[in-house]
């Protein structure tokens, strides 16, 4: 269609902003070239946060082996539109001979990688933009920390419009910080855009499971099975108050810990109840975060094939669920349960690589226009390759306009 | 008897409109409440655009009144039929606007000025759908924007996300 020049029209920036909110990220990345004003709106911090909330982007999942197998890795994401499953044309990321870096957390369209050999070293990656940002080194000298478990989480503070990262890590006994039931832990916070981590006094009251969920701008973990198998709890990190708090699960919900799966279901915290003695999958959704009110939103028959499975990885995929069972019956496939149709819809796999078995962690991921340039100097492609063996996505390398 | 107001367009055309219809505009509602709306209400909107605004408001008003009068029985089916009717009406409304971009852009400005959030949101979605696949040069022409990048700057910024320029 021929476009005529609308000489009469001058569209003010606030209307342009409203139009941008309804555009897919790919169009926006192209429209950065229109003018400096347009570029600055699209690259701005406040726009990115609003844009991701509009959910114009398709929810994706990223099946990733954790820890990554040594050697070259190319990870593709999957999208499900209610009819079919599609694998991304280009890998979301590639590692060349990765020996160290593990995918630790995904939130706000950003992937957080931590160095398994030195877990205080971490970087962020936005696959949509191809941007890599290294986080500052630890405030605590490396000698003080054991290089074992680290827990990372991302949050957003609405009051100050800032992104923050929290991490919890074990410290040696002579450190002056508080102890938990199974050792000494310390926590620190990094406000994105600043130059260093900052120690905080609050630590989680119980051991956390490795991967938490970002919802409502805060982090939420289920407690680890290490602590007390009979107690099921949710530990949240309030990024406003900068403290760990217990979030009560629904009343009368009795679950062995391994069946309590937390997820972000359409921007609400949800518990997926997969207790093996139940014939049902039940989903509890937090209706009011301030009042901590839960409601049972779904109850659906567990498909026979999933029978008494234990699940390695379960979570929301947009308005659907993905289920990755871990038992003898499982053919190493991933299952999609469509909550709208209320039935098991798809089976993906088996994964070609047997080494994935028992180790595949599925991450939910929604791409975001958020530019890491807002927070500091980016790591160049060459430097990323040299330091992290990190290749970004192939589409940044092979495709030129 | 419905209360009527007279709206005067920027080119001095008078539109007689029911209060309920025009109160959807927060701007005009405020003028009425403040008592500023005596006699004709002058608006910085052309008659051509104002006619479109009123077409939208009347359709919305019609929908609200019908819903209020419904009882629950048979409501679901009726709602479904109505949804189809509204979709059809909106499609026709969109097609007319797509054919005349000057009116579309003027209407966009008018919906902002008159504070009609539903219309503004509808039009933003319409424009977004129209421009999503376009190239920067087409966008500049459409929005009448001057390219303030030097050729070198433009080349560099294009190269940052080269893949986004592929179909």
């Amino acid at each position: 269609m021929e476009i005529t020049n609308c000489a009469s029209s001058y569209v003010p920036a606030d209307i342009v902003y409203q139009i941008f909110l309804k555009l897919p990220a790919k169009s926006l990345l192209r429209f950065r070239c229109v003018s400096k004003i347009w570029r600055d709106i699209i690259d701005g911090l406040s726009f990115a946060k609003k844009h991701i909330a509009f959910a114009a982007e398709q929810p994706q999942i990223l099946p990733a082996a954790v820890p990554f197998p040594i050697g070259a890795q190319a990870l593709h994401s999957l999208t499900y539109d209610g009819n079919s499953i599609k694998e991304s044309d280009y890998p979301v990321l590639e590692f060349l001979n990765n020996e160290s870096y593990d995918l630790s957390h995904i939130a706000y369209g950003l992937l957080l990688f931590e160095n398994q050999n030195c877990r205080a070293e971490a970087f962020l990656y936005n696959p949509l933009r191809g941007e890599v940002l290294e986080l500052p080194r630890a405030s605590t000298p490396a000698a003080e920390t054991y290089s074992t478990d680290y827990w990372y989480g991302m949050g957003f503070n609405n009051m100050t419009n800032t992104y923050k990262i929290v991490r919890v890590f074990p410290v040696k006994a002579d450190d002056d910080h508080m102890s938990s039931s199974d050792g000494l832990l310390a926590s620190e916070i990094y406000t994105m855009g600043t130059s260093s981590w900052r120690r905080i006094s609050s630590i989680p009251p119980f051991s956390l499971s490795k991967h938490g969920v970002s919802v409502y701008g805060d982090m939420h973990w289920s407690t680890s099975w290490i602590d007390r198998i009979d107690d099921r709890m949710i530990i949240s990190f309030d990024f406003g108050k900068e403290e760990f708090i217990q979030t009560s699960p629904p009343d009368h919900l009795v679950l062995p810990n391994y069946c309590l799966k937390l997820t972000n279901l359409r921007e609400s915290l949800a518990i997926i109840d997969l207790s093996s003695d139940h014939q049902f999958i039940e989903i509890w959704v937090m209706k009011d975060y301030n009042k901590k009110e839960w409601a049972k939103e779904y109850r659906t028959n567990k498909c026979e094939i999933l029978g008494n499975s234990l699940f390695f990885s379960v979570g929301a995929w947009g308005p659907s669920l993905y289920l990755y069972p871990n038992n003898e019956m499982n053919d190493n496939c991933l299952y999609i349960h469509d909550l709208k149709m209320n039935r098991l819809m798809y089976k993906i796999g088996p994964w070609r690589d047997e080494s994935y078995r028992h180790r595949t962690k599925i991450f939910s991921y929604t791409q975001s226009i958020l530019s890491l340039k807002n927070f500091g100097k980016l790591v160049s492609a060459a430097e990323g390759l040299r330091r992290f063996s990190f290749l970004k996505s192939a589409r940044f390398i092979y495709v030129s306009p | 008897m419905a209360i009527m107001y007279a709206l005067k367009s920027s080119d001095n055309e008078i539109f007689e409109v029911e209060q309920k219809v025009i109160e959807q505009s927060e701007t005009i509602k405020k003028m009425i409440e403040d008592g500023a709306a005596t006699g004709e209400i002058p608006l910085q909107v052309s008659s051509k655009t104002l006619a479109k605004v009123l077409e939208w408001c009347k359709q919305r008003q019609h929908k609200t009144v019908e819903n209020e009068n419904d009882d629950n029985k048979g409501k679901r089916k009726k709602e479904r039929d109505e949804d189809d009717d509204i979709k059809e009406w909106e499609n026709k409304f969109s097609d007319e606007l797509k054919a005349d971009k000057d009116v579309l852009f003027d209407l966009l400005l008018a919906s902002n000025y008159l504070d009609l959030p539903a219309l503004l949101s509808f039009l933003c979605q319409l424009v977004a759908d129209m421009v999503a696949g376009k190239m920067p040069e087409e966008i500049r022409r459409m929005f009448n924007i001057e390219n303030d990048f030097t050729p070198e700057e433009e080349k560099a910024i294009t190269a940052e996300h080269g893949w986004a320029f592929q179909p």
Side-chain angles (χ1 to χ4, degrees), chain A residues 79-232:
Chain A
T79 49
Y80 172 59
D81 61 4
N83 293 309
S84 60
I85 290 159
K86 202 171 154 271
E87 188 177 66
S88 58
D89 295 338
Y90 290 98
V92 169
L93 62 103
E94 286 180 275
F95 273 109
L96 198 67
N97 297 318
N98 174 38
E99 288 175 24
S100 316
Y101 282 90
D102 238 359
L103 184 52
S104 180
H105 186 58
I106 300 184
Y108 312 106
L110 306 177
L111 279 55
L112 194 154
F113 291 89
E114 57 177 316
N115 187 339
Q116 300 176 62
N117 304 319
C118 176
R119 290 188 182 272
E121 288 179 23
F123 69 88
L124 287 170
Y125 173 52
N126 182 342
L128 183 81
R129 292 239 185 203
E131 293 174 345
V132 176
L133 181 77
E134 191 180 13
L135 300 182
R137 297 298 174 88
S139 68
T140 310
E144 283 185 34
T145 66
Y146 299 116
S147 198
T148 52
D149 279 327
Y150 263 63
W151 293 266
Y152 277 91
M154 275 191 262
F156 180 79
N157 188 328
N158 264 323
M159 305 290 286
T160 54
N161 209 24
T162 44
Y163 292 85
K164 292 182 180 181
I165 299 174
V166 66
R167 64 180 173 198
V168 178
F169 50 94
V171 284
K172 280 186 178 171
D174 56 358
D175 196 274
D176 59 357
H177 281 79
M178 285 174 252
S179 69
S180 80
S181 55
D182 65 336
L184 298 172
L185 290 175
S187 320
E188 52 188 17
I189 282 211
Y190 171 60
T191 302
M192 284 173 67
T194 61
S195 59
S196 62
W197 292 86
R198 172 161 60 76
R199 272 285 185 102
I200 54 168
S201 56
S202 180
I203 57 161
F206 298 100
S207 296
L208 306 176
S209 55
K210 174 69 184 167
H211 300 283
V213 178
S214 292
V215 206
Y216 315 116
D218 289 344
M219 272 304 293
H220 312 273
W221 288 268
S222 54
T223 45
S224 157
W225 57 271
I226 296 168
D227 258 357
R228 310 168 166 198
I229 199 144
D230 295 334
D231 281 59
R232 68 285 181 277

Side-chain angles (χ1 to χ4, degrees), chain B residues 58-72:
Chain B
K58 279 174 189 159
Q59 163 70 16
R60 302 283 291 192
Q61 175 61 19
H62 183 62
K63 184 180 132 194
T64 327
V65 171
E66 273 192 9
N67 282 353
E68 276 170 8
N69 294 343
D70 274 344
D71 53 4
N72 274 330

Side-chain angles (χ1 to χ4, degrees), chain A residues 388-401:
Chain A
F388 315 127
S389 301
F390 187 70
L391 270 179
K392 302 184 180 180
S393 162
R395 68 180 172 192
F396 292 101
I397 296 156
Y398 305 122
V399 182
S400 61

Side-chain angles (χ1 to χ4, degrees), chain A residues 18-19 22-23, chain B residues 120-130:
Chain A
Q18 299 297 322
I19 295 169
K22 295 171 189 287
L23 280 168
Chain B
L120 181 61
S121 170
F122 176 82
L123 295 171
C124 286
Q125 186 65 58
L126 183 64
V127 174
D129 293 344
M130 284 167 70

Side-chain angles (χ1 to χ4, degrees), chain A residues 304-306 309-311 323-336 344 346-354 356-358 360:
Chain A
E304 199 173 314
I305 191 157
L306 299 174
S309 299
L310 295 179
F311 291 87
L323 302 149
Y324 187 60
N326 181 18
N327 68 0
E328 290 306 307
M329 282 168 70
N330 175 25
D331 36 11
N332 206 20
C333 290
L334 179 73
Y335 294 84
I336 315 294
L344 204 63
Y346 276 97
K347 185 169 104 170
I348 314 171
W351 308 116
R352 278 154 292 189
D353 183 355
E354 267 300 296
Y356 273 61
R357 193 159 192 145
H358 304 312
T360 303

